[in-house]
Amino acid sequence: MSAAPPLLPEQSASPLAEWDSVAVRYPYAARDAVGPVSHLVGRGERVLLLGPSGSGKSTLLWTLTGIVPQTVPATVQGHVRIGGVDVAGRPPAGWADAVAHLFQDAEHTLTGLRVADEIAFALENRGLQETEIEARTRAVMARVGLPETWRDRRTSTLSGGEKQLVALAATLIADAPLFVADEPTASLAPAAARRVYDLVLNDLGNGGVLIVDHRLDAMIGAIDRVAVLDDHGALVAEGPPAALFRMHGDRLDAEGIWTPLASRFDRALVKADLAPARPALTMEQLGRHLAHLSTDAADRARAIIAKTAAPMLPRRRTPGARVVQLQGAACAPLFGPIVLRDVTMEIAAGEIVGIVGANGAGKSTLGASLAGLLRLKAGRRDGLPGAIAFQNPENQFLEANVHDELAAALPKDTAEDRIADILGRWGLGDVVRQHPYELSQGQKRRLALACLTAADRWPLIVLDEPTSGLDARGVKTIVDAVDTLADDGRAIAIIAHDMDFALAVCDRLVVLADGGIIAEGAPSEILHDAALLARADLAPPAILPVLDWMDRVTC
């Protein structure tokens, strides 16, 4: 068998990746999943692909190496090229030397081996010498921040965020010219997410990066170009990020597509003729502009920013009676060792409590213990059983289509009109006959949450990373749903890595580190404690500098 021809040499004028009038339609679908799209990724270029949930972003990435249609059946129109070579000329595995693809779900990268074997797997398939494989494995583990003690751990024992870091290392080790990342930080704590962006977006050389992500604020300053898909999968905007978000940001906001936080304030200031001449893309840029405003201009800007920030801040609630309490609890995952000791906490009716901390700190274990799904190794739990929305929404699906999945969660005599209304409110009205596994990750998460919250049977609801993979409209739906549940007297525990989301919805934060609870209090207090955040591998919310500036400006 002859070897596949190498990717075009570095001096080639061909782009690293190119989609030429590409459209994809899955079997039995009424419309295209994405396209037609004409787009490219140049050498040395960092490109961000945005769009609402279900717009076909992942599908477009899968066409890049022929996973669609060679592995996942579909009809593909147009041409996809890598380095000027048509993708259809090789099987998907034949592009491993050209494209490193980090999938949205880490389980699609991992195979259940030991951590070191997972990372070395790609190099072993390429027949490299054992000494080189070992050296490169150790080097990439150090780059990603994986401790040597993890080498012999089975990936099945890792938390969701820890699996994502191992999958990242297993992808980076290939050292391919084009790195493609689909939601690479969705399950990562903020500080870990920043380290990932540093790894992925810096030191490109003549390579390129194509990234799909919703957490924009920590990485938007490193992006060269943005491409935006609408909810029908058509390319509707493209260009340098600062100009694109100022020109098209209002439309993107209206369509539920994430925009950087600084750009939202920037556009509000534009309408009052108070914006900087060059669009503010990062909070640092916005802060420098605000710091140099005159007293009169600062007062006017403060009023505009306060109005813009209002939906991102929590409203105060008065909690009711205690719903669940842990006393001196020792918490452990199923068949695993104790990860949290001497945990004492409670949640009251109508209260929203955020559980935050580093990847592997025990957040999911604590959430399942609160809900009564895990038996404590020591201590005591008082309260009725609760329900939990798992980090992976597929773990909750049992039925053959979206309609039946929701219907199974409701009383048997529930009217069809009510089912249709619930699906419509969660943005799932047009996928009622699709299998849950056919949905995008954002749609899967919304379906899981709709099923969990539609019935009135649970006094306590635990949401494990409820915003992971969601577009801005989906997160707004979550915020509204959580507020409604709290108003109805439910106790809510939210495991969160998005600190802006935690600040916006939570009445109280519980911080985990070092095998227990190290802090507990109001979000505004916790998120201002730099030493505490560093200890817990967290980062302050992006909005915090603007809130602090508002406090310093006297109206």
Side-chain angles (χ1 to χ4, degrees):
M1 178 177 173
S2 61
L7 188 69
L8 293 185
E10 290 189 0
Q11 63 270 24
S12 169
S14 299
L16 284 175
E18 181 180 9
W19 290 267
D20 182 4
S21 302
V22 171
V24 179
R25 181 171 299 196
Y26 290 114
Y28 312 111
R31 66 176 181 87
D32 292 341
V34 66
V37 170
S38 293
H39 182 59
L40 58 82
V41 179
R43 296 171 187 270
E45 189 176 32
R46 296 163 292 196
V47 178
L48 170 66
L49 180 63
L50 292 177
S53 295
S55 60
K57 300 184 297 297
S58 295
T59 292
L60 197 64
L61 299 188
W62 292 345
T63 65
L64 190 56
T65 55
I67 293 174
V68 169
Q70 296 186 52
T71 303
V72 179
T75 300
V76 178
Q77 297 179 345
H79 296 277
V80 184
R81 303 181 185 93
I82 295 176
V85 180
D86 200 295
V87 165
R90 299 185 189 179
W95 293 105
D97 62 333
V99 180
H101 192 152
L102 180 62
F103 294 98
Q104 188 172 12
D105 186 347
E107 302 288 357
H108 292 166
T109 299
L110 306 178
T111 56
L113 303 173
R114 298 181 312 127
V115 167
D117 293 334
E118 294 278 10
I119 296 170
F121 190 65
L123 302 186
E124 291 171 346
N125 283 339
R126 286 159 60 177
L128 272 63
Q129 292 294 321
E130 184 176 349
T131 53
E132 182 178 355
I133 293 174
E134 176 64 18
R136 288 173 63 171
T137 298
R138 290 185 181 279
V140 79
M141 287 184 68
R143 285 179 65 198
V144 176
L146 303 181
E148 278 289 312
T149 54
W150 283 23
R151 289 180 61 86
D152 292 326
R153 287 184 65 182
R154 285 276 178 181
T155 53
S156 58
T157 67
L158 303 177
S159 71
E162 290 171 333
K163 289 178 181 178
Q164 201 160 14
L165 290 172
V166 173
L168 172 66
T171 309
L172 284 173
I173 199 171
D175 198 25
L178 178 61
F179 188 90
V180 177
D182 195 349
E183 298 281 356
T185 64
S187 298
L188 297 183
R194 290 178 184 272
R195 291 196 297 272
V196 168
Y197 290 136
D198 286 341
L199 282 172
V200 171
L201 296 173
N202 296 327
D203 301 324
L204 282 182
N206 204 34
V209 172
L210 176 61
I211 186 169
V212 172
D213 215 333
H214 292 314
R215 295 167 70 168
L216 305 186
D217 296 294
M219 57 94 161
I220 194 62
I223 295 297
D224 300 309
R225 189 160 51 86
V226 177
V228 184
L229 302 179
D230 66 11
D231 57 0
H232 295 295
L235 188 65
V236 294
E238 184 178 7
L244 182 143
F245 288 119
R246 179 174 279 188
M247 182 179 298
H248 300 286
D250 287 346
R251 176 185 175 183
L252 303 188
D253 285 345
E255 295 186 7
I257 299 170
W258 282 112
T259 59
L261 182 59
S263 80
R264 284 174 252 171
F265 292 118
D266 177 82
R267 282 177 274 123
L269 293 172
V270 165
K271 294 166 187 174
D273 199 25
L274 290 169
R278 179 179 175 82
L281 187 61
T282 67
M283 295 302 289
E284 290 78 10
Q285 293 169 354
L286 180 67
R288 288 196 294 269
H289 171 69
L290 294 174
H292 288 90
L293 291 177
S294 67
T295 301
D296 177 66
D299 286 344
R300 290 190 293 130
R302 186 188 187 282
I304 292 167
I305 287 177
K307 182 178 179 180
T308 306
M312 310 173 205
L313 301 177
R315 59 186 180 85
R316 296 187 180 279
R317 299 178 185 83
T318 301
R322 186 181 70 207
V323 171
V324 64
Q325 182 183 44
L326 298 180
Q327 292 180 299
C331 307
L334 191 64
F335 306 126
I338 294 173
V339 295
L340 296 170
R341 297 180 183 276
D342 197 26
V343 172
T344 296
M345 64 172 292
E346 64 180 47
I347 307 178
E351 186 180 26
I352 303 172
V353 176
I355 301 172
V356 299
N359 296 113
K363 300 184 298 297
S364 295
T365 299
L366 177 57
S369 299
L370 283 166
L373 268 67
L374 290 175
R375 180 173 296 178
L376 301 179
K377 300 296 185 180
R380 177 174 175 173
R381 178 191 183 277
D382 295 312
L384 295 173
I388 186 168
F390 295 107
Q391 194 169 1
N392 183 354
E394 291 184 358
N395 291 345
Q396 295 175 232
F397 299 147
L398 298 172
E399 304 298 332
N401 62 55
V402 169
H403 172 278
D404 293 353
E405 194 70 47
L406 178 62
L410 295 167
K412 292 187 181 298
D413 58 351
T414 300
E416 284 296 321
D417 287 350
R418 172 161 164 71
I419 294 174
D421 177 64
I422 293 171
L423 291 174
R425 283 191 280 113
W426 285 91
L428 298 168
D430 59 347
V431 294
V432 290
R433 295 303 168 190
Q434 287 187 227
H435 193 286
Y437 283 14
E438 296 176 337
L439 305 179
S440 72
Q441 283 297 106
Q443 290 169 328
K444 289 175 184 176
R445 193 164 300 280
R446 295 204 304 272
L447 175 60
L449 293 170
C451 295
L452 185 70
T453 60
D456 297 330
R457 57 186 297 194
W458 304 109
L460 167 68
I461 295 178
V462 178
L463 306 179
D464 195 345
E465 293 293 343
T467 65
S468 177
L470 291 185
D471 59 14
R473 181 183 291 122
V475 172
K476 176 64 164 57
T477 301
I478 297 294
V479 172
D480 291 344
V482 167
D483 277 339
T484 299
L485 290 167
D487 289 343
D488 289 344
R490 312 278 192 101
I492 312 291
I494 298 179
I495 298 164
H497 286 137
D498 184 337
M499 294 300 100
D500 286 272
F501 174 75
L503 178 64
V505 301
C506 295
D507 305 304
R508 180 162 51 96
L509 293 184
V510 172
V511 185
L512 302 185
D514 305 326
I517 295 176
I518 62 169
E520 187 174 356
S524 58
E525 297 174 1
I526 295 289
L527 297 173
H528 270 97
D529 190 333
L532 175 65
L533 296 181
R535 181 181 174 189
D537 204 29
L538 301 174
I543 199 174
L544 205 60
V546 164
L547 300 181
D548 291 343
W549 175 82
M550 288 170 58
D551 287 341
R552 295 193 299 268
V553 175
T554 303
C555 291

